[in-house]
Amino acid sequence: MSEARTAAAATATPHAWPDLRGWNLYFLSKVILAWMGALDLHILPNLLLLAALLVPLPWRGARIARTVVAVPVAVALYYQDTWWPPFERLLAQPGVLDFSASYWLELLGRFINWQMVALLALLVCGYLLLKPWLRVTTLSVLGMLGMAAMALPLPAGLQSAGGGDAGAAQGAGGAGAAARGGPANNQTLDAYLAGFYQQQAGLKTAFPPAHGGTPFDVIVLNICSLAWSDLEEVGLRQNPLFDGMDVVFDAFNSATSYSGPAAIRLLRASCGQTSHTALFDPVPAQCQLFANLQALGFQNELAMNHDGHFDDFIGDLTRYGGLAATPLPIEGYPRALIAFDKSPLRRDGDVLGGWLKQRQAASSAQVALFYNTISLHDGNRIVGADGRAMASDYKARAQMVLGDLQGFIDALEKNGRRAMVVVVPEHGAALHGDRMQIPGMREIPSPSITHVPVGVKLVGMGIPAAAGPRHVTAPSSYLALSELVARIYALNAQASADERNWDGLLQGLPTTPSVSENEGAKVMEYDGKPWLQLKGSPTWTPYPEDKP
């Protein structure tokens, strides 16, 4: 009898703490992905979930109830552990409900990381092979505890005992932080952002009075979805358009990652940068670039290769940008693309060529043109010779757009037009994506999306030839463009090109630290690093821009 009781006790002991069974895959996948840097593991809630699943429950109904509660909690926790923004931000892109079905399928496919799928498939196979031989629950528990131990801060003594290089880096970082107001934390970052907007509120471009110099046109070519990172991704960092510019801004920040706000910021370039919410408040005419040009005698004109109705883009130009101009009719031009929202797009070369033909026949002495193209927007499809829309990769469309814009500048030179051509993208296409955003997603204005190539070409203005573009390397934004327009206008007043101080043209242009905002996110550079604050959260976190 005693032997029977001993055997029963021995049999019962291994089941005192339950086996996690299929939950092992959940926790082991988190350990592996967090170790790879693909997850931002929140230790405490994961340990609480693990402990709740390990508590022995003698009643079958209680175990079923625990599983019913644990499954949705585990799904939500897994999403929280990703680098992705809160779920409601995924659907916050402007006009998201107007996307075509094919574009929706394309976006859904981008959420699948096939390398991760293959890794998880190997994990399942390994689990099935090891399950008969090992207590896998022990591995799961040890793995989670190991991740918890790695997340613990080192004691102060060990931190100070680091290598010389680390200490030097820490000292250098501390000095930079002190110059800005202290080490990065919620308080110093909030204060820095408030100080930035306070400083920007006092800045504006002082345009010279109108003069009778030789007339010239100001042509602003506003491109959707073009950043330096996109050009690098498709091997077009070096291209004839920007290589042939007279001025290139190397560190220009578009300050947003959406079209409407970007256009408003550009049209309000004559004053310092404002917050996102302030974009929709009234501003004085002196802040509106095209209003300032109109006061100097330029006739404002508008052209686009689309109808401007998506997300009421054309309404934003009028209400908040102060650009009251009738768009150039484009219905007579053939369809070149079908947009992500199923609307037809015209080729940029056709629209700009049509505008130039109309300009040559007009009697206006000076014109300020705002041209907007969305040919590079994510999800667009090209129209083939048979009239059917087919998929077209970004590189092919980028080569077409860059070539069309270069062809337009060549036409200006050939026809003897005097013009200041400003090429300024709205934002990038997010081709590469990062840990927080899949390729094509722009809800968060990360540096790779807002760091855009901006160039200025002075056609027939007498600027001395140079071996390559003159580069503006300091951090800059729209105010620098407005200042450059004012300086070019002032230089043009001088009778002879030989008298113009071209060397001083770029000296002392306004610099603008990198601060970007959308409705739901703020990203700014502090002490050499990008920091993120999401809407509704008081916390600033380092932006994990690179993929694992």
Side-chain angles (χ1 to χ4, degrees):
M1 190 72 177
S2 175
E3 292 179 359
R5 284 196 300 268
T6 302
T11 305
T13 300
H15 300 284
W17 291 95
D19 194 320
L20 288 173
R21 299 182 184 275
W23 287 103
N24 282 302
L25 293 173
Y26 178 88
F27 289 105
L28 287 177
S29 67
K30 281 195 168 184
V31 170
I32 294 173
L33 293 178
W35 178 74
M36 294 174 58
L39 286 183
D40 181 23
L41 198 63
H42 294 74
I43 294 297
L44 182 58
N46 277 282
L47 289 179
L48 289 175
L49 177 62
L50 177 64
L53 292 171
L54 286 172
V55 172
L57 298 176
W59 304 285
R60 182 173 180 272
R63 292 195 296 271
I64 294 175
R66 176 174 62 184
T67 301
V68 170
V69 173
V71 168
V73 171
V75 171
L77 183 56
Y78 217 121
Y79 187 90
Q80 184 186 25
D81 286 338
T82 68
W83 293 101
W84 293 344
F87 186 75
E88 62 270 16
R89 301 307 321 162
L90 293 178
L91 299 177
Q93 300 196 53
V96 67
L97 298 180
D98 296 326
F99 291 171
S100 64
S102 59
Y103 187 35
W104 266 114
L105 290 174
E106 183 181 340
L107 289 175
L108 291 174
R110 295 179 192 175
F111 278 94
I112 302 175
N113 186 321
W114 293 108
Q115 291 181 338
M116 295 300 175
V117 170
L119 179 65
L120 295 177
L122 288 175
L123 176 63
V124 172
C125 292
Y127 171 74
L128 294 175
L129 290 173
L130 293 175
K131 181 182 175 183
W133 307 95
L134 295 175
R135 183 172 170 81
V136 184
T137 297
T138 303
L139 296 179
S140 299
V141 173
L142 290 177
M144 291 300 298
L145 292 177
M147 297 305 297
M150 291 173 60
L152 292 174
L154 290 173
L158 292 178
Q159 288 181 350
S160 61
D165 291 343
Q170 186 178 17
R180 288 173 172 258
N185 56 48
N186 291 334
Q187 183 177 1
T188 55
L189 292 173
D190 284 340
Y192 176 75
L193 183 61
F196 168 79
Y197 284 129
Q198 183 178 8
Q199 180 257 353
Q200 290 289 307
L203 302 179
K204 64 176 179 293
T205 301
F207 278 83
H211 61 70
T214 306
F216 69 100
D217 294 337
V218 175
I219 301 172
V220 177
L221 305 178
N222 193 214
I223 310 173
C224 176
S225 302
L226 182 69
W228 286 117
S229 63
D230 302 319
L231 291 174
E232 290 171 355
E233 184 75 8
V234 297
L236 293 176
R237 174 82 187 216
Q238 304 298 323
N239 61 80
L241 178 64
F242 285 100
D243 290 346
M245 289 286 152
D246 292 313
V247 179
V248 170
F249 289 80
D250 295 329
F252 191 97
N253 180 41
S254 69
T256 182
S257 57
Y258 279 122
S259 298
I264 297 170
R265 289 188 183 279
L266 174 56
L267 292 172
R268 293 184 175 189
S270 298
C271 284
Q273 185 171 320
T274 67
S275 67
H276 176 82
T277 55
L279 291 177
F280 308 100
D281 295 334
V283 296
Q286 65 181 359
C287 292
Q288 297 171 350
L289 175 61
F290 277 67
N292 285 318
L293 289 172
Q294 191 172 33
L296 296 176
F298 290 82
Q299 176 180 307
N300 290 347
E301 295 188 0
L302 171 63
M304 303 178 290
N305 77 328
H306 55 101
D307 59 20
H309 291 129
F310 182 79
D311 201 34
D312 196 21
F313 179 79
I314 196 168
D316 287 344
L317 301 183
T318 304
R319 287 191 299 272
Y320 308 117
L323 181 60
T326 302
L328 178 76
I330 60 173
E331 291 77 12
Y333 302 114
R335 298 181 310 160
L337 298 157
I338 299 297
F340 55 94
D341 64 345
K342 299 170 286 188
S343 64
L345 304 180
R346 272 65 185 184
R347 183 156 178 168
D348 298 299
D350 290 341
V351 179
L352 288 170
W355 175 85
L356 182 57
K357 184 177 180 180
Q358 176 181 290
R359 175 73 184 101
Q360 289 173 320
S363 58
S364 304
Q366 297 187 121
V367 164
L369 170 68
F370 183 89
Y371 177 74
N372 181 264
T373 170
I374 62 171
S375 297
L376 296 180
H377 194 288
D378 194 43
N380 290 351
R381 293 173 295 157
I382 196 165
V383 177
D386 59 356
R388 295 182 180 180
M390 63 186 109
S392 175
D393 64 14
Y394 182 90
K395 183 174 183 178
R397 287 183 287 123
Q399 289 172 324
M400 180 178 68
V401 170
L402 295 174
D404 282 357
L405 299 188
Q406 181 60 52
F408 172 65
I409 292 175
D410 292 342
L412 289 173
E413 293 177 328
K414 182 179 179 180
N415 293 330
R417 306 293 320 173
R418 300 181 78 250
M420 176 183 183
V421 181
V422 182
V423 179
V424 50
E426 300 171 349
H427 51 72
L431 287 184
H432 186 60
D434 55 42
R435 295 183 185 180
M436 293 201 76
Q437 301 186 109
I438 62 171
M441 184 178 179
R442 295 178 279 105
E443 178 56 24
I444 298 174
S446 65
S448 64
I449 298 175
T450 62
H451 181 203
V452 297
V454 171
V456 176
K457 181 70 175 179
L458 301 176
V459 180
M461 301 285 286
I463 185 171
R470 299 156 178 84
H471 290 269
V472 179
T473 58
S476 55
S477 196
Y478 301 102
L479 186 64
L481 280 182
S482 176
E483 177 67 23
L484 188 56
V485 171
R487 291 183 182 186
I488 293 295
Y489 183 82
L491 278 179
N492 189 61
Q494 301 178 21
S496 172
D498 296 333
E499 299 175 3
R500 298 168 187 165
N501 181 19
W502 296 107
D503 293 334
L505 185 65
L506 305 181
Q507 294 177 4
L509 284 175
T511 60
T512 305
S514 181
V515 174
S516 303
E517 276 196 64
N518 284 346
E519 181 184 0
K522 301 175 184 177
V523 178
M524 67 179 182
E525 184 175 306
Y526 184 88
D527 200 23
K529 297 179 181 179
W531 292 83
L532 165 68
Q533 185 184 60
L534 294 173
K535 185 177 182 179
S537 172
T539 304
W540 290 90
T541 57
Y543 189 86
E545 193 169 9
D546 295 331
K547 284 189 174 182

